[in-house]
Amino acid sequence: MSTQKNQTSEAKYYDYFNTNHLKSNLKQRSVRGGVVTITAQASKFILKFGSTAVLARLLVPEDYGLIGMATVVVGFVEYFKDLGLSAATIQRAEINHKQVSTLFWINLGVSCLVALIVALLAPAIANFYHEPRLKKITLGLAINFIFGGLTVQHQALLRRQMQFTSLAKIEVVSMTLGVFTAIIAAYSGLRYWALVLMLIAIAISNAIGVWLACGWRPGLPSRNSGVLKMLAFGGNLTGFNLVNYFSRNLDNVLIGRRWGSQELGLYAQAYKLVLLPIQQINNPISSVALPTLASLQSQPEKYCRFYYQAMLSISTLGMPIIGFLFASANDVILLLLGEQWLETVPIFKLLMPAAFNATIGVGMGWAYQSLGNVGRQFRWGIVSSMLNAVLFFIGVRWGAIGVAAVFGLSRPFFLLAGFTYCFAQTPLKLTKLISTLSMPTLASIGAAIILSYIKLVLPIEINTLMIVLIDLGFYTLLYLLIWILLPNGRKTLWEMVQLSKVLRQR
């Protein structure tokens, strides 16, 4: 009877597990997915920038600092709700209803446990920072874990089936509801609680949206479902995420502990603004690239060709944004955040090398995970995290600006070492990657240097918005001009223009 029931469930949800129908038009699906997800991220980018500009004028650096203190710990334990099992579901060639159901209950059980642990840690977090307000903030953020655990496998199945339109709609609607919640709360004088309520609203609306979009419903967990290999995959990936998160957030802990919420608020806001545009590009392209690469892992030639094309696309979009933000940092900060945040400008500029490298650093994760080499990724994470920790302990002596300096200026060396180790024993070649990325890199840096020099020798005293728009237009022209003047630049740029026309038609 049980076997018959499992077979019935397997047949009912077969479309969510089988991916053979995707392979016949994989390229078209990838292209359409890229267009949809990038469009969604553009909408989210506008929402985030708009909300940042509004909330920065309603809140003070201390409010952001308080949330930054709490989210360091909360964000760390959040990785346990996923356990890398969403990536395992996407990466695996074949899965079934029993496996996904078992993974669902593992995710949900761990998420509830994590929520309880975070709630119990709330007094300790408040005592560590000598900030009693953090106790209630942490308790409020603990709620998110339960809703997160409910969505892990549903989101993974939607990505596995390349249903990017549904995922994009959910993300945009959730972000919109969260932003409006935060603005209303901030106008009502709730201060830092506005940021807490925004995160809770996003988590709840996202969970509801995912369950409505994905028709799969979990069955009972099974001991003999064959998920051990998937758990091993997820364990290595979770291990990497944890050590990587530790190294990326130790800076916040050290600044908050030694210099307080005001200094941390400046650093956290600068860091957020630096990475915000990159996340809007990396996240959608990654959501398309990872399942596509996973489906091509048995075809090395096609795998490499898609990988380099994806890396060229992500760098062409991301690098010029970072170059422009560096050249116009003072005016951008003034426009978005106001005069009270101008102290973030030097921190903002020192973090730019990290953001520049982040535009392509995501490619390491694609290679590791799509080829199943998450054990190597975990080992690299341990080494790089230890080195980051040493740098942060050195830099914190000079406050937020010292931490920004050591982190930003060290990133190019980490990037080169990381890709060298990542590509070992794979069909990917570092020389080919460098050649692929040379044009957007040189054009972005060159345009930023020229624009910075022009702004220095020819300052303009007009409306800040007009200055930013003029800078953006001039930077774009410089970027395109330098690209065209580079060897084979005109040909490569024309090919990308033709590809963009195809994307719009599809």
Side-chain angles (χ1 to χ4, degrees), residues 357 411-421 430 434:
N357 284 274
R411 288 313 92 188
F413 303 101
F414 276 73
L415 191 75
L416 182 60
F419 271 112
T420 300
Y421 180 72
L430 183 61
I434 293 174

Side-chain angles (χ1 to χ4, degrees), residues 484-503:
I484 291 172
L485 293 176
L486 290 170
N488 294 320
R490 187 189 300 270
K491 178 183 176 182
T492 305
L493 189 60
W494 176 250
E495 290 174 352
M496 297 190 71
V497 170
Q498 292 300 110
L499 177 61
S500 68
K501 291 181 179 179
V502 175
L503 294 179

Side-chain angles (χ1 to χ4, degrees), residues 3 43 45 74 107 141 165 171 212 259 279 373 375 415 470 476:
T3 302
S43 302
F45 181 74
V74 172
N107 283 134
L141 293 174
T165 301
E171 291 177 359
L212 290 175
W259 298 94
Q279 291 170 344
N373 295 331
L415 191 75
I470 291 172
T476 302

Side-chain angles (χ1 to χ4, degrees), residues 12-183:
K12 180 180 179 181
Y13 300 122
Y14 179 75
D15 289 342
Y16 285 102
F17 308 137
N18 179 46
T19 58
N20 291 330
H21 62 287
L22 301 175
K23 296 180 180 179
S24 60
N25 57 350
L26 184 62
K27 183 176 179 180
Q28 292 181 359
R29 289 180 180 273
S30 299
V31 170
R32 287 196 298 267
V35 173
V36 169
T37 49
I38 289 175
T39 301
Q41 286 301 117
S43 302
K44 290 172 62 180
F45 181 74
I46 294 171
L47 281 170
K48 286 185 177 180
F49 255 98
S51 64
T52 298
V54 174
L55 291 173
R57 288 164 171 79
L58 297 174
L59 305 175
V60 296
E62 182 184 14
D63 296 328
Y64 286 93
L66 287 169
I67 302 302
M69 289 175 176
T71 52
V72 168
V73 179
V74 172
F76 178 78
V77 296
E78 184 174 5
Y79 283 106
F80 288 100
K81 77 174 176 60
D82 186 300
L83 295 177
L85 300 182
S86 60
T89 299
I90 295 170
Q91 192 271 342
R92 194 170 178 85
E94 295 182 2
I95 58 172
N96 57 54
H97 179 65
K98 286 201 302 183
Q99 290 173 333
V100 181
S101 295
T102 301
L103 295 180
F104 170 84
W105 291 109
I106 291 174
N107 283 134
L108 181 58
V110 172
S111 296
C112 292
L113 179 61
V114 167
L116 178 60
I117 292 173
V118 170
L120 294 174
L121 284 175
I125 295 172
N127 291 334
F128 177 79
Y129 286 110
H130 310 297
E131 179 52 74
R133 289 175 292 181
L134 287 176
K135 183 177 179 180
K136 291 183 178 180
I137 291 174
T138 306
L139 289 173
L141 293 174
I143 299 172
N144 289 358
F145 292 106
I146 299 174
F147 293 100
L150 287 167
T151 63
V152 173
Q153 291 304 314
H154 289 76
Q155 286 178 318
L157 288 173
L158 289 173
R159 289 194 177 97
R160 181 181 174 86
Q161 292 299 321
M162 294 189 172
Q163 295 187 19
F164 301 115
T165 301
S166 298
L167 288 166
K169 290 178 180 177
I170 294 167
E171 291 177 359
V172 172
V173 172
S174 299
M175 176 62 65
T176 302
L177 292 174
V179 166
F180 277 106
T181 299
I183 292 175

